[in-house]
Amino acid sequence: MPVNFFPAEFDVVRNTDKCIKCRACERQCSNEVHFYDADFDKMLTRDAQCVDCQRCVCICPTGALKIVPNPNDFRKSPNYTHQLMIENYRQAGTGAVLLSSMGTPKEYPIYWDKILINASQVTNPSIDPLREPMETKVFLGKKPAGIRKNPDGSVCTKIDPYLELSTPIMFSAMSYGSISKNAHESLARAAEELGIYYNTGEGGLHRDFYRYGANTIVQVASGRFGVFKDYLDTGAAIEIKMGQGAKPGIGGHLPGQKIGEDVSRTRMIPMGTDAISPAPHHDIYSIEDLRQLIFSLKEATEYTKPVIVKIAAVHNVAAIASGIARSGADIIAIDGFRGGTGAAPTRIRDNVGIPIELALAAVDQRLRDEGIRNEVSIVAAGSVRCSSDVVKAIALGADAVYIATPALLALGCHLCRTCHSGKCNWGIATQRPDLVKRLNPEVGYKRLVNLVHAWDHEIKEIMGGMGINSVEALRGNRLMLRGIGLTQKELDILGIRHAGE
Amino acid sequence: MTKINAENMHFKALNQAIRDSADREVTVEGCLGQRFIGSGCLHKSISVYGIPGNALGAYLTQSDITVYGNAQDALGDTMNDGTITIHGSCGDAPGYGMRDGTILIKGNAGYRAGIHMKQYMNKIPVLVIGGRVGDFLAEYQAGGRIIVLGLGFEDTCPVGSYCGTGMHGGAIYIRSEKAPHVPAQVSVSDADDEDKAQIAEDVRKYTGAFGGNAQEILSAHFFKLVPNSANPYKQLYVNN
């Protein structure tokens, strides 16, 4: 019998005093961890198949279950960690590339947590959002460099197409295919109710969701899935996906087993065939080529909607963003390397790209230095985790943020990071009908609305504390930020002072 | 029919004029490099005299375009349906991400032709190239038919290197005695009568547009290239 080189990652612990053998855990687990042994009248587990999604723990009516990390460990080494050893065993067994999901779990600096926000004391009094108006509405798109007037004094400034957001938060791109139809419906309905936008990702737009077009950003990626005139006409904005923070420099790959009938129709590819998005756009080799795609989309939609260019935060992000700002794009979305993904090679996810905080600060500064900041709006993405992250992002120069992982958390995701398996027990990252129906869009969309409302209120409170009553006045207001425990170099890049200065 | 003299016209003005035309038939004369002609057009039949610029017929929907001259790069990008006929050659990346419809090129095409062409049910795009084509033909091809006739290049294989890399759907037909070099994802066979019957209609469209004898063209030897698997990358990954 071949030796298994590594033990199960998790221990499924059952309190037999509490367990009533109702077998709910067995029915709920798509990984088939739990099973009933009639001979012994006992619930048993296959620990090695557990992914720690916590579904059984949450569903168990008597609270009899716990999933804990397997305390068994290899001989300790800070260099060859337990995880690294397992990964090498996996590759030696298969000869394959490691595939992971969601944001990197590796311990990189999180600059949000090393930045502190200011508040007013004595002078410039703070504002109470409960009794005074507080503006969180933002507009995304090109801003005119100045006001032009007709000889009679009337204003004739040409305003380019823009997006109007009730609060500076949008749902980031997640394709139909990588997430379920019910998850998409939850996002679409929430975006409509909130007066914000969700993003189709690169998998096209399901026919049922064309009605949410006014709150939809339609994405055009290298695979061009589901891209045609109706799709482009339906969206409020078009996003060209050049890169993604979790996997800069590589394309996408939705495995054939996730391409069922509905996904197949939406992407316009046969069932069961892999959906491959090549790493580059094969018609884009330069900023001039990017300009060409931007204008072909603008021509196709008669200059009625803004075009977003989304890039991964990489080393030369400031120079790249400067090129994009000159390419005709209206909005640049920058996706930091801690951002999530439905599937990415582990080594890429964990090692390629730079943090959004540094990228954002560098891009905003570069565009200001070049006098073209008004040419584009900036959307920060890639691990914006809570309302204080939003406030810090805006103060570092963002016009708005994209969130995805918090939206998935609102829908029940427990960050088990196995989206790529297609067996999501929470009905989010799966196309299996029996799993998809576990996510009720009626409940899901309300939870998303709650989440964003709560964040919006917190943003107002934090702004009020600073004596600022509009997001416009917070944007790029780096004096409101101080670093804690950062080097001078990091402070210089972030463009902020150290706490106490 | 609307006639537009495109001399010294910016592409925005030209395309606006085409869209605004009340007629289905639009003739553009004196075209000199204006981009995006017919991009996203609905219900138009556009004739172009001169040389249109890049991204001709991008997202083309229920429209036809005929060019009496050469075309440039990104011809028929993400084209949805209709027909584009080029009485000449075209530049790089024609038919990128094409979803349906037909592109007929009388002469040669540049690099990266037919990349990521798709198909779904009865929407099957067709790209016919009369002469020869550069490297990287049909990379990531997911569906549709690509036909390279090699007319006038009978002594060589009319396709360049790296033909069909990452191919996972559709088929490529190459009229040649000399087999192309292909990567491991692609299998090459001699086209039999049944295969030729599949492309007879496409070849007739070609000869209908540019002249020539379809029967004669089809009587020559063709190679048929198809992917080895619909999931060429399946074995590459292990869950981590």
Side-chain angles (χ1 to χ4, degrees):
Chain A
M1 194 178 140
V3 179
N4 191 358
F5 279 66
F6 53 94
E9 281 186 80
F10 306 103
D11 257 358
V12 180
V13 183
R14 187 186 314 273
N15 183 332
T16 48
D17 291 340
K18 288 184 179 174
C19 178
I20 54 171
K21 295 169 206 162
C22 69
R23 301 175 72 173
C25 50
E26 184 184 11
R27 288 189 296 276
Q28 288 284 326
C29 184
S30 64
N31 297 303
E32 296 170 352
V33 171
H34 304 275
F35 64 101
Y36 177 69
D37 190 316
D39 293 342
F40 294 97
D41 184 30
K42 217 175 167 184
M43 289 301 299
L44 298 174
T45 56
R46 304 178 187 95
D47 289 0
Q49 284 161 233
C50 178
V51 298
D52 196 15
C53 76
Q54 298 281 322
R55 177 78 184 180
C56 59
V57 176
C58 295
I59 220 84
C60 178
T62 59
L65 288 166
K66 273 191 184 66
I67 312 290
V68 295
N70 187 345
N72 179 69
D73 204 354
F74 305 140
R75 189 159 184 185
K76 282 246 184 284
S77 158
N79 191 24
Y80 276 97
T81 59
H82 185 96
Q83 182 64 24
L84 199 49
M85 287 172 70
I86 287 180
E87 287 168 354
N88 276 296
Y89 293 139
R90 282 196 172 117
Q91 292 193 291
T94 60
V97 169
L98 299 164
L99 194 67
S100 293
S101 308
M102 296 313 288
T104 179
K106 285 184 78 175
E107 287 183 38
Y108 284 103
I110 298 164
Y111 287 94
W112 300 135
D113 295 340
K114 298 181 178 194
I115 296 174
L116 298 171
I117 299 167
N118 194 28
S120 305
Q121 298 294 298
V122 185
T123 58
N124 186 21
S126 46
I127 302 167
D128 181 354
L130 289 177
R131 55 183 277 269
E132 287 179 67
M134 187 69 73
E135 190 62 89
T136 52
K137 180 183 280 190
V138 292
F139 298 90
L140 303 183
K142 286 185 198 303
K143 306 282 159 62
I147 294 174
R148 284 167 54 186
K149 288 183 176 174
N150 291 316
D152 66 359
S154 60
V155 176
C156 65
T157 311
K158 185 179 145 283
I159 303 288
D160 286 287
Y162 57 85
L163 294 179
E164 182 180 332
L165 285 67
S166 67
T167 189
I169 299 166
M170 302 189 287
F171 298 129
S172 194
M174 288 176 277
S175 72
Y176 175 47
S178 75
I179 61 170
S180 66
K181 191 182 169 206
N182 285 357
H184 247 213
E185 182 178 339
S186 304
L187 291 165
R189 288 172 65 180
E192 185 179 57
E193 179 151 328
L194 288 162
I196 60 169
Y197 301 86
Y198 86 108
N199 188 314
T200 61
E202 58 179 304
L205 180 60
H206 193 284
R207 270 284 153 200
D208 292 354
F209 303 147
Y210 272 67
R211 50 188 283 219
Y212 303 107
N215 296 89
T216 305
I217 295 169
V218 295
Q219 203 179 55
V220 173
S222 63
R224 299 282 205 277
F225 295 111
V227 177
F228 66 116
K229 191 167 168 50
D230 287 2
Y231 172 77
L232 298 175
D233 285 344
T234 299
I238 301 169
E239 180 171 274
I240 299 173
K241 179 190 180 185
M242 297 303 303
Q244 183 178 342
K247 43 181 172 178
I250 67 163
H253 174 210
L254 188 67
Q257 67 261 26
K258 269 189 162 179
I259 316 276
E261 196 179 339
D262 240 16
V263 174
S264 151
R265 182 165 48 240
T266 304
R267 295 200 175 215
M268 302 290 279
I269 53 169
M271 272 169 72
T273 182
D274 285 2
I276 296 163
S277 287
H281 287 250
H282 282 275
D283 51 353
I284 300 181
Y285 283 47
S286 64
I287 291 292
E288 290 78 6
D289 289 348
L290 174 63
R291 183 180 181 81
Q292 180 177 306
L293 183 60
I294 290 169
F295 276 89
S296 84
L297 291 165
K298 288 191 171 187
E299 276 290 338
T301 52
E302 301 188 35
Y303 300 89
T304 53
K305 47 196 76 180
V307 172
I308 306 168
V309 174
K310 177 179 176 178
I311 53 167
V314 290
H315 299 183
N316 286 325
V317 69
I320 296 162
S322 166
I324 294 170
R326 295 161 198 279
S327 71
D330 301 278
I331 301 162
I332 304 177
I334 308 164
D335 196 14
F337 91 125
R338 296 195 311 272
T341 172
T346 310
R347 293 287 173 258
I348 304 268
R349 182 195 67 175
D350 292 351
N351 296 283
V352 180
I354 65 172
I356 183 58
E357 304 91 324
L358 302 178
L360 168 63
V363 168
D364 180 66
Q365 192 57 49
R366 174 74 172 248
L367 299 185
R368 282 170 192 275
D369 291 347
E370 296 182 358
I372 53 173
R373 180 64 183 82
N374 65 306
E375 287 292 316
V376 284
S377 289
I378 299 175
V379 178
S383 209
V384 177
R385 306 160 300 165
C386 55
S387 63
S388 56
D389 288 359
V390 178
V391 170
K392 291 169 189 177
I394 291 168
L396 282 176
D399 289 84
V401 301
Y402 264 143
I403 61 165
T405 301
L408 296 183
L409 294 178
L411 297 176
C413 169
H414 279 64
L415 281 180
C416 71
R417 306 196 298 261
T418 47
C419 317
H420 54 281
S421 75
K423 294 194 284 190
C424 177
N425 276 318
W426 294 94
I428 302 168
T430 179
Q431 300 301 326
R432 253 175 61 177
D434 59 318
L435 301 177
V436 171
K437 73 177 182 199
R438 293 181 185 176
L439 173 59
N440 181 348
E442 188 65 30
V443 176
Y445 105 85
K446 284 181 187 153
R447 292 180 60 86
L448 285 164
V449 169
N450 282 344
L451 180 81
V452 175
H453 274 161
W455 285 27
D456 180 61
H457 190 76
E458 288 176 339
I459 290 168
K460 287 174 176 163
E461 291 219 314
I462 298 170
M463 286 202 309
M466 290 185 273
I468 289 174
N469 64 1
S470 85
V471 169
E472 297 283 333
L474 176 65
R475 186 190 318 117
N477 195 343
R478 299 188 193 188
L479 286 171
M480 292 299 125
L481 303 176
R482 290 289 188 274
I484 182 90
L486 295 174
T487 65
Q488 189 56 49
K489 190 74 189 171
E490 290 167 319
L491 293 167
D492 289 346
I493 295 166
L494 290 167
I496 61 175
R497 294 189 193 169
H498 202 275
E501 279 191 281
Chain B
M1 191 187 77
T2 306
K3 240 185 204 181
I4 301 169
N5 185 347
E7 222 170 297
N8 295 324
M9 231 175 165
H10 190 269
F11 70 74
K12 264 191 198 178
L14 173 59
N15 292 320
Q16 189 68 49
I18 295 172
R19 277 196 296 268
D20 289 350
S21 152
D23 298 319
R24 180 181 162 83
E25 311 266 324
V26 178
T27 299
V28 177
E29 289 176 338
C31 188
L32 193 62
Q34 284 93 346
R35 294 179 171 190
F36 317 118
I37 293 174
S39 168
C41 258
L42 268 182
H43 311 298
K44 292 279 179 235
S45 178
I46 306 167
S47 300
V48 180
Y49 292 86
I51 301 172
N54 292 352
L56 173 80
Y59 323 103
L60 192 71
T61 301
Q62 295 162 33
S63 296
D64 301 320
I65 299 178
T66 306
V67 177
Y68 297 94
N70 295 323
Q72 312 222 351
D73 296 347
L75 166 72
D77 187 335
T78 324
M79 175 170 165
N80 198 40
D81 51 30
T83 302
I84 299 179
T85 309
I86 308 293
H87 288 261
S89 294
C90 77
D92 297 339
Y96 179 19
M98 194 176 165
R99 296 155 50 91
D100 195 6
T102 306
I103 297 180
L104 304 171
I105 296 159
K106 184 182 183 189
N108 309 323
Y111 295 123
R112 312 193 303 277
I115 288 186
H116 216 310
M117 269 171 65
K118 303 177 175 50
Q119 73 179 52
Y120 177 72
M121 312 278 279
N122 58 352
K123 286 175 80 69
I124 301 173
V126 177
L127 170 63
V128 186
I129 296 157
R132 64 176 170 178
V133 62
D135 296 344
F136 316 111
L137 174 70
E139 275 187 328
Y140 304 102
Q141 188 181 354
R145 294 193 293 276
I146 298 177
I147 301 157
V148 182
L149 297 177
L151 297 168
F153 299 97
E154 277 76 6
D155 297 339
T156 59
C157 181
V159 304
S161 305
Y162 310 105
C163 171
T165 308
M167 185 178 183
H168 54 290
I172 308 169
Y173 300 85
I174 301 168
R175 181 176 162 277
S176 176
E177 299 283 343
K178 296 198 165 71
H181 295 287
V182 296
Q185 302 98 330
V186 182
S187 71
V188 182
S189 61
D190 298 317
D192 57 22
D193 289 346
E194 210 171 293
D195 296 325
K196 284 185 185 181
Q198 293 280 319
I199 59 167
E201 184 57 35
D202 305 323
V203 173
R204 275 196 288 276
K205 277 187 191 166
Y206 178 89
T207 54
F210 309 120
N213 183 329
Q215 205 65 38
E216 213 170 275
I217 291 172
L218 282 165
S219 68
H221 179 263
F222 277 79
F223 288 104
K224 182 185 183 186
L225 279 57
V226 292
N228 283 332
S229 156
N231 316 99
Y233 298 106
K234 195 165 62 180
Q235 295 306 317
L236 273 177
Y237 296 112
V238 57
N239 289 343
N240 182 38

